[in-house]
């Protein structure tokens, strides 16, 4: 069964709306979660690393005021796309890694398809 | 900088035929390597991983991969493909540029299966 739950799976909303995406680790405590963005027919690009109890680490070129990340508990990280515009339309995927060594595999959510009209 | 290359964007094989998906990485030391599969509109499922030890690793769904340091490769194989294997396949390596071990992905190989 799924170890990482992502919700919602699909969002369609108007330009200017803020959208929150939740990522839950179901059967282990994830001190680190990752948020990726995937454009059509392309690979996953890391947006940010979410750390429980501290600020997220954003990749170069990702606006932290645009993509707000909160990791308030060991099982939940949220990504809020603020004042979304059509160019933010994409497939967003989160992942969680078992605590410990960095070589532990990441478990991925099923993704959120965000469409901004 | 670390990178992962998947040379084949799209591969089509007949059902029952063997499959090999290529993956090359760039990293000086021993990398931590993964293969993931993604069905349309879905997240990624881990197929297998390589950290150390035996260079031939077995994964789920009948997949295996072989780590070859001399060729900087980690190719994915399956002896007999099933129609349900049609999906996008991503090779990934743990990044040591960042401090928390995020993954660097190849661009993916789309697998189509002919009946």
């Amino acid at each position: 069964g799924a170890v990482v739950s992502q919700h919602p799976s699909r969002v369609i909303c108007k330009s200017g709306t803020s959208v929150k995406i939740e990522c839950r680790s179901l059967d282990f405590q994830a001190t680190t979660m990752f948020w990726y963005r995937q454009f059509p027919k392309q690979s996953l690009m890391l947006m940010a690393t979410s750390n429980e109890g501290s600020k997220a680490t954003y990749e170069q070129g990702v606006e932290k005021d645009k993509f707000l990340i909160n990791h308030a508990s060991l099982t939940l990280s949220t990504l809020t796309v603020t004042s979304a515009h059509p160019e933010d339309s994409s497939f967003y995927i989160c992942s969680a890694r078992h605590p410990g060594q960095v070589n532990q595999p990441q478990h991925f959510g099923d993704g959120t398809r965000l469409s901004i009209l | 900088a670390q990178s992962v290359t998947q040379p084949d964007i799209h591969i089509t094989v007949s059902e029952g035929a063997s499959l090999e998906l290529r993956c090359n990485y760039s990293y000086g030391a021993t990398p931590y390597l993964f293969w993931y599969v993604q069905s349309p509109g879905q997240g990624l499922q881990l197929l297998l991983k390589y950290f150390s030890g035996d260079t031939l690793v077995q994964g789920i769904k009948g997949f295996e991969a072989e780590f070859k340091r001399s060729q900087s490769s980690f190719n994915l194989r399956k002896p007999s493909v099933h129609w349900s294997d049609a999906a996008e396949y991503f090779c990934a390596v743990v990044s040591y540029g960042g401090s928390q071990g995020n993954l660097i992905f190849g661009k993916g190989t789309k697998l189509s299966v002919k009946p």
Side-chain angles (χ1 to χ4, degrees):
Chain A
V3 295
V4 175
S5 173
Q6 189 172 339
H7 178 81
S9 59
R10 187 176 181 97
V11 179
I12 302 173
C13 57
K14 294 181 179 180
S15 184
T17 306
S18 291
V19 178
K20 180 186 283 188
I21 303 170
E22 293 187 347
C23 182
R24 293 183 184 274
S25 172
L26 298 181
D27 61 356
F28 65 93
Q29 294 182 331
T31 53
T32 303
M33 292 185 176
F34 302 91
W35 287 96
Y36 295 85
R37 184 172 180 176
Q38 186 178 29
F39 292 99
K41 302 185 187 299
Q42 295 193 26
S43 187
L44 284 77
M45 300 299 296
L46 180 69
M47 297 175 65
T49 302
S50 172
N51 305 295
E52 187 271 334
S54 64
K55 292 182 179 179
T57 303
Y58 289 82
E59 295 299 297
Q60 190 173 11
V62 178
E63 299 176 60
K64 57 184 177 182
D65 295 331
K66 174 76 170 176
F67 299 99
L68 300 179
I69 290 173
N70 184 283
H71 193 156
S73 77
L74 288 171
T75 58
L76 174 64
S77 176
T78 60
L79 168 68
T80 301
V81 183
T82 61
S83 187
H85 292 283
E87 58 267 27
D88 299 321
S89 299
S90 192
F91 193 57
Y92 294 87
I93 308 178
C94 72
S95 72
R97 191 182 67 215
H98 282 269
Q101 300 297 316
V102 296
N103 59 359
Q104 291 295 316
Q106 294 180 23
H107 298 277
F108 287 81
D110 282 339
T112 297
R113 173 72 60 193
L114 176 61
S115 300
I116 308 299
L117 306 177
Chain B
Q2 288 176 266
S3 65
V4 175
T5 302
Q6 292 179 248
D8 305 304
I9 297 173
H10 190 183
I11 285 182
T12 300
V13 300
S14 298
E15 189 168 17
S18 63
L19 170 70
E20 182 169 32
L21 302 182
R22 295 184 291 165
C23 172
N24 293 97
Y25 66 90
S26 68
Y27 182 61
T30 300
Y32 296 135
L33 293 157
F34 304 86
W35 274 100
Y36 286 88
V37 60
Q38 183 181 34
S39 297
Q42 300 289 314
L44 278 69
Q45 181 182 24
L46 179 68
L47 287 176
L48 47 78
K49 60 190 178 188
Y50 172 77
F51 298 153
S52 64
D54 192 348
T55 56
L56 183 64
V57 293
Q58 302 297 320
I60 63 171
K61 303 184 179 185
F63 285 93
E64 66 177 28
E66 186 171 12
F67 172 66
K68 293 186 178 180
R69 183 188 300 278
S70 62
Q71 299 177 20
S72 297
S73 69
F74 188 56
N75 294 348
L76 182 72
R77 301 194 294 249
K78 186 169 185 177
S80 178
V81 169
H82 188 262
W83 64 266
S84 61
D85 294 323
E88 188 96 22
Y89 291 80
F90 292 96
C91 182
V93 64
V94 172
S95 168
Y96 286 93
S99 60
Q100 300 178 76
N102 60 276
L103 292 176
I104 297 173
F105 287 88
K107 293 189 175 182
T109 298
K110 182 178 180 179
L111 173 65
S112 297
V113 180
K114 294 189 297 185

